[in-house]
Amino acid sequence: MASITKRGSKWQYRVSWRDADGKQHSKNKSGFRTKTEAANDARQAELELSQGANLNRGELSLPDYWHDWYTTYKSGKRATATEYFYPIIEKTLKQYFGKETIKDVTPTEWQTFLNQYATNHSHATGTKVNGYVRAMVRSAINEQTLRSDFTFDAEVGGSKGIKESNKYLQLDKFKQVNQIAFERATFNYLSYVGIVIGAQSGMRASEVLGLTWDCIDYENHTLTVNKSWDYIHKKELKATKNEASNRVIEVLPSVTELLKKIHTQQIEWEMKSGHRNPLELVFMSNRGTVLTDAALNKTLSKIETEIDIPIEHQIRFHGLRHTHVSYLISQGLSIYYISKRLGHAGIQITMSTYSHLLDAQRSEQASKAVAALGMLQ
């Protein structure tokens, strides 16, 4: 049973218990205005103990609880980029919350933190932080460390990022980028080859750079995506983003013909230079290194400048993926097929990401629907 005592003008309680190993523990809490308030809180603590709660876990600081949670449940189980983000969140929580215990964090404090975080971070990054911490909080509630979710109903601010109109190229400019990239694509200028692949397939940069020669089907004119290249952290092959990312993409014969020519040029370079390409990477350059994301973006920017696209309207390499989708949607292709072609985990992701493009087609689709129904009369 809890002991209730008065300390100065305030009341406090002390709850003691033994864990499964027989070790003695206790928890003190003070600052109550009345004896009744202290007793009520003590009864709640005893009830939680009877239901298997670990009251000492609530005494961990928010950053420490976060560290314990992600190293236990997440480390070694997520994509490299995601796992690099966990310690960054820990550092951010330490800077803002310091040693404040997880049980003492209030919804107002969390919202204030998100508001401050939004002043120099994007909405997307703020949403990630809030979502990851919310998952931790739910775990804490499940193990009865917390009684309620301090992230519930939190609003995430921050800049909205790139305007939708600047995420993809207009059709005439997209055509020019394709033509220039095709014309200049050789083994000595691999970044142009990368732009061709990105524009023609909608593949992510990591997927393009992770292509190996056995992924190219010259007969059926397809590219197999079954791995990717970690160009940010470890500079090595890694698994694709998710299971759905493993796919086969149909491309034009001109694309596979270009790749066949590049392969021949690469083999000739290997014989002359003595360099080897043990992983059989398509984008192993004549410097003996794998092409970089930075090189792709630099070359794309060069093309865009040549065709008079202002810097503020230029896209990066990932924008070729958006433009690829935009073009396919404009040609009336099924969103289901497009989703599979992109390697999305579900069609809802595709519809959410490209809703602005789908909405633009609504009036045209509505007219077709009415015309088709009219044929029934």
Side-chain angles (χ1 to χ4, degrees):
M1 185 173 178
S3 62
I4 312 294
T5 58
K6 193 172 185 180
R7 187 176 182 182
S9 62
K10 301 291 184 180
W11 290 85
Q12 65 180 9
Y13 71 79
R14 179 185 179 89
V15 177
S16 300
W17 73 95
R18 291 185 183 276
D19 60 25
D21 298 322
K23 187 177 180 181
Q24 185 76 23
H25 298 275
S26 65
K27 176 187 175 182
N28 298 310
K29 189 170 182 181
S30 60
F32 297 99
R33 291 184 300 108
T34 66
K35 184 177 182 179
T36 301
E37 287 180 355
N40 288 339
D41 205 87
R43 277 195 293 273
Q44 180 62 41
E46 289 178 323
L47 175 61
E48 291 174 7
L49 278 170
S50 69
Q51 294 173 342
N54 183 344
L55 298 185
N56 284 341
R57 291 279 289 162
E59 300 301 324
L60 285 174
S61 70
L62 175 58
D64 285 346
Y65 194 97
W66 166 261
H67 179 86
D68 285 357
W69 178 78
Y70 85 75
T71 54
T72 300
Y73 292 101
K74 302 298 179 180
S75 292
K77 304 178 181 71
R78 296 295 182 271
T80 303
T82 301
E83 296 212 2
Y84 269 80
F85 197 45
Y86 292 140
I88 292 173
I89 294 177
E90 182 179 347
K91 182 179 179 181
T92 301
L93 295 178
K94 279 183 180 177
Q95 290 172 342
Y96 189 87
F97 292 95
K99 295 182 179 181
E100 182 173 359
T101 62
I102 185 173
K103 68 178 178 56
D104 289 331
V105 178
T106 66
T108 300
E109 280 184 290
W110 183 250
Q111 184 62 64
T112 303
F113 160 72
L114 288 178
N115 293 345
Q116 181 176 314
Y117 192 77
T119 60
N120 53 10
H121 292 85
S122 71
H123 177 77
T125 304
T127 298
K128 277 186 179 181
V129 171
N130 188 57
Y132 290 165
V133 173
R134 176 171 293 166
M136 177 208 69
V137 167
R138 289 174 178 170
S139 179
I141 292 172
N142 188 56
E143 69 171 13
Q144 300 182 62
T145 297
L146 294 180
R147 300 177 188 176
S148 60
D149 181 356
F150 60 75
T151 69
F152 177 74
D153 223 18
E155 293 288 335
V156 180
S159 60
K160 297 298 181 180
I162 302 173
K163 292 181 179 179
E164 291 297 340
S165 59
N166 288 349
K167 286 185 177 180
Y168 54 90
L169 299 172
Q170 295 302 313
L171 177 58
D172 59 333
K173 297 299 184 182
F174 186 44
K175 186 175 181 179
Q176 284 180 276
V177 168
N178 268 274
Q179 290 174 338
I180 292 174
F182 259 114
E183 289 170 2
R184 299 178 184 174
T186 66
F187 174 64
N188 290 329
Y189 296 98
L190 273 183
S191 53
Y192 287 102
V193 181
I195 290 169
V196 169
I197 303 302
Q200 291 288 320
S201 70
M203 289 165 62
R204 303 174 178 94
S206 60
E207 294 172 341
V208 171
L209 299 178
L211 283 172
T212 50
W213 289 114
D214 61 345
C215 296
I216 320 301
D217 187 331
Y218 301 108
E219 215 172 290
N220 298 305
H221 308 298
T222 62
L223 307 178
T224 296
V225 180
N226 53 22
K227 53 192 170 302
S228 60
W229 183 256
D230 182 355
Y231 56 81
I232 298 176
H233 303 296
K234 297 182 179 180
K235 308 293 188 296
E236 63 184 20
L237 287 172
K238 62 176 183 176
T240 53
K241 188 174 183 180
N242 52 53
E243 187 59 34
S245 296
N246 296 320
R247 61 200 188 278
V248 177
I249 304 173
E250 302 83 359
V251 293
L252 292 170
S254 56
V255 173
T256 51
E257 287 168 9
L258 169 63
L259 288 171
K260 183 181 284 189
K261 181 180 74 173
I262 299 303
H263 196 190
T264 300
Q265 294 172 342
Q266 188 187 76
I267 291 172
E268 291 174 351
W269 165 77
E270 289 176 4
M271 293 177 67
K272 290 179 181 178
S273 66
H275 279 283
R276 292 293 175 262
N277 183 11
L279 298 178
E280 287 292 297
L281 291 162
V282 172
F283 288 93
M284 175 63 72
S285 73
N286 60 5
R287 295 182 179 180
T289 57
V290 180
L291 192 68
T292 64
D293 174 61
L296 291 171
N297 284 312
K298 183 178 180 180
T299 298
L300 179 57
S301 178
K302 179 181 178 181
I303 297 175
E304 291 177 289
T305 300
E306 286 181 28
I307 59 178
D308 299 321
I309 298 178
I311 292 178
E312 62 271 20
H313 292 147
Q314 291 184 7
I315 64 168
R316 293 177 67 78
F317 186 84
H318 197 74
L320 292 176
R321 181 172 167 87
H322 291 304
T323 307
H324 181 84
V325 175
S326 173
Y327 179 66
L328 295 183
I329 288 176
S330 72
Q331 297 302 303
L333 271 75
S334 158
I335 193 67
Y336 177 80
Y337 169 77
I338 292 174
S339 181
K340 293 293 185 182
R341 186 176 178 89
L342 292 180
H344 279 165
I347 193 171
Q348 287 301 324
I349 295 175
T350 316
M351 294 180 73
S352 173
T353 305
Y354 300 103
S355 60
H356 59 291
L357 298 175
L358 296 170
D359 288 343
Q361 279 196 314
R362 181 175 174 80
S363 58
E364 180 184 341
Q365 295 296 315
S367 299
K368 288 183 178 180
V370 171
L373 291 169
M375 295 176 66
L376 298 176
Q377 295 181 337

